[in-house]
Amino acid sequence: MLNIAALSSRPNHHFFGYYGINAWDRSLRYHLALETDFHKRRPKAGDSAAVGLVNRQTHVFEQYAETSAFNLQQGSMMHWIDAGFGEEFTFNDWEYGELVSRAINPKTRETRTIQGAVAAVSPTQPVAIGLNFARMAHCRAVVGYANHIDPDSLHNTPEDDGLFLLDLKTGESRLVLSIAEVIRASQCGKVQGRRAWFNHVLFNADGSRILFFCRVKRDGLFTSLWTVNPDGSDLKCQIPFRRWISHFAWRDSQHILISCNLMGDGGFLEFTDGKQDFRTFGEGILPRDGHACFSPDGRWLICDYRRGKGSDRMAGLMLYNVNDGRKISLGEFRSDKQFSGDIRCDLHPRWSPDGKAISFDSIHENSRQIYLVDVSDLG
């Protein structure tokens, strides 16, 4: 039985947020986290979270800053970076009503400001992709940052909003792909003129391509899947609107894992960027949907899932061996029925860089905390 233990501790709540992002510093001793004194409601404009690190050995949270740019599902999209200023971590923040990212050196506590809110960081270059989480608050609030912007002031398909390329060295930001461009490229009449937004952005393994969703509200949620170069060139639609598309991961620099309903009622598929050569992945073993990401060596896939309803609602965690199809159930964690919708706690698993540990967020002990699974003995 693999050992699962709490990494963070009460009395306050601690969470990282999203999946597939490295939360550990180089020493593997400190894990990024937010701390709040509430978690039974969605954050309101002006609510703040403490930003800091959890010590793996002492389980103590050390605060470095605070932010009002966060949500319970994705935290503040914190990342570790090295842009020539030593090891730093980033988190999103507000400055004079605009979204920025702060980069903090944990040794010196020196803080830099980067224009724009980080959504994904390149694994090979000192650049990031930024998204407008303020807009998202009025499109899909669960992944946006609460604010007082008048939603009626938002253009449905803006030319000046979309994917931003952030220079992590200079702190500069520039728009590389607009929402309007993607809606035009979709050639889908049903989404023209509707409020659209981008979210869920991820670099591939060599930093040469970016995967992202373009979403539109029309009789529910319309989602399309796209890839593009970091400079906004070579835009390709991988899955058009009108399909159910949920979660994805890059397997390497070319191959993409996605949960969608292109083949049957839904499940995980794998395909090659730009080729649409869809094939089933983990059929009969993996759940229909979940937050999944590959281990650093590519041998294992960690995936969460949800099962049951009401008082029997469970959040599960499993490992899938890519080579031989083995499944290892890591556990199921009770989730009280009040934690649904925008305040649910998906486990959102993420690997440590050495592939020996997996961290996840959970509320099964009546507090939102970060947990750690030791997988160093995996065969």
Side-chain angles (χ1 to χ4, degrees):
M1 182 68 180
L2 297 174
N3 181 51
I4 300 178
L7 176 67
S8 58
S9 58
R10 301 184 186 194
N12 287 331
H13 304 285
H14 300 91
F15 55 99
F16 174 75
Y18 221 36
Y19 73 109
I21 300 171
N22 172 40
W24 294 98
D25 76 326
R26 289 176 188 153
S27 73
L28 302 181
R29 182 173 179 178
Y30 298 102
H31 188 288
L32 295 168
L34 296 183
E35 180 183 78
T36 64
D37 59 6
F38 70 92
H39 79 135
K40 294 183 178 180
R41 61 171 175 81
R42 204 169 66 208
K44 302 174 184 176
D47 281 340
S48 64
V51 178
L53 305 175
V54 177
N55 187 312
R56 187 176 190 169
Q57 297 175 358
T58 66
H59 309 290
V60 172
F61 173 84
E62 182 177 1
Q63 181 176 346
Y64 284 78
E66 67 176 27
T67 183
S68 293
F70 74 102
N71 56 61
L72 297 179
Q73 279 294 296
Q74 297 185 340
S76 193
M77 295 304 288
M78 303 172 75
H79 288 78
W80 288 100
I81 64 170
D82 188 343
F85 302 92
E87 188 176 34
E88 300 172 299
F89 66 83
T90 68
F91 65 94
N92 294 331
D93 200 7
W94 293 98
E95 184 173 89
Y96 305 116
E98 300 292 332
L99 282 172
V100 298
S101 182
R102 311 291 187 193
I104 296 181
N105 183 315
K107 292 182 178 179
T108 65
R109 292 185 175 260
E110 184 176 350
T111 303
R112 299 186 297 120
T113 297
I114 298 162
Q115 300 305 311
V118 169
V121 169
S122 169
T124 57
Q125 300 294 322
V127 297
I129 290 295
L131 290 177
N132 187 350
F133 292 92
R135 179 183 180 84
M136 267 187 263
H138 302 287
C139 297
R140 194 163 184 246
V142 66
V143 290
Y145 300 156
N147 58 73
H148 295 298
I149 295 171
D150 180 0
D152 292 334
S153 70
L154 299 176
H155 193 287
N156 282 349
T157 55
E159 299 280 1
D160 59 354
D161 197 354
L163 296 183
F164 295 84
L165 186 66
L166 313 184
D167 188 319
L168 300 178
K169 283 186 176 180
T170 66
E172 297 174 344
S173 168
R174 64 182 177 91
L175 181 70
V176 293
L177 181 68
S178 74
I179 294 171
E181 288 179 80
V182 171
I183 292 298
R184 285 194 293 269
S186 75
Q187 298 183 338
C188 177
K190 291 185 177 294
V191 302
Q192 302 298 321
R194 299 280 178 165
R195 181 169 294 175
W197 70 98
F198 295 163
N199 70 286
H200 300 328
V201 182
L202 191 64
F203 279 90
N204 66 354
D206 65 9
S208 61
R209 296 287 282 172
I210 297 161
L211 192 63
F212 69 96
F213 284 166
C214 179
R215 285 181 153 164
V216 174
K217 277 188 177 178
R218 179 193 166 94
D219 303 324
L221 192 65
F222 273 37
T223 303
S224 55
L225 181 70
W226 303 75
T227 56
V228 69
N229 292 339
D231 64 0
S233 63
D234 195 21
L235 176 69
K236 286 186 169 65
C237 181
Q238 305 296 334
I239 303 176
F241 286 107
R242 300 194 67 183
R243 289 288 186 176
W244 170 76
I245 311 170
S246 189
H247 298 103
F248 56 72
W250 285 97
R251 186 170 181 177
D252 49 37
S253 61
Q254 293 182 302
H255 299 99
I256 298 163
L257 182 71
I258 181 76
S259 55
C260 65
N261 66 350
L262 275 174
M263 299 171 66
D265 293 332
F268 281 99
L269 304 178
E270 186 180 40
F271 67 99
T272 309
D273 181 20
K275 294 189 176 180
Q276 298 185 324
D277 52 349
F278 299 100
R279 51 201 176 272
T280 59
F281 186 94
E283 189 174 14
I285 302 174
L286 289 175
R288 179 175 182 265
D289 189 21
H291 301 93
C293 53
F294 292 94
S295 60
D297 63 8
R299 295 174 56 236
W300 293 91
L301 184 80
I302 183 69
C303 185
D304 69 2
Y305 60 91
R306 283 179 274 172
R307 180 180 66 79
K309 296 180 180 180
S311 59
D312 293 324
R313 182 184 175 93
M314 305 291 284
L317 200 60
M318 62 163 288
L319 283 164
Y320 171 72
N321 188 290
V322 174
N323 298 320
D324 62 23
R326 269 185 297 155
K327 172 183 175 180
I328 299 177
S329 295
L330 299 182
E332 292 190 334
F333 309 92
R334 189 169 300 281
S335 177
D336 190 276
K337 61 183 179 181
Q338 68 177 305
F339 294 104
S340 61
D342 289 358
I343 64 169
R344 69 186 182 274
C345 185
D346 294 330
L347 302 183
H348 288 153
R350 51 259 165 192
W351 291 88
S352 61
D354 63 359
K356 295 181 178 181
I358 296 163
S359 64
F360 64 96
D361 300 343
S362 182
I363 51 175
H364 65 278
E365 294 184 309
N366 301 315
S367 177
R368 197 173 296 245
Q369 300 295 341
I370 301 170
Y371 292 82
L372 193 62
V373 188
D374 182 350
V375 293
S376 58
D377 291 335
L378 280 178

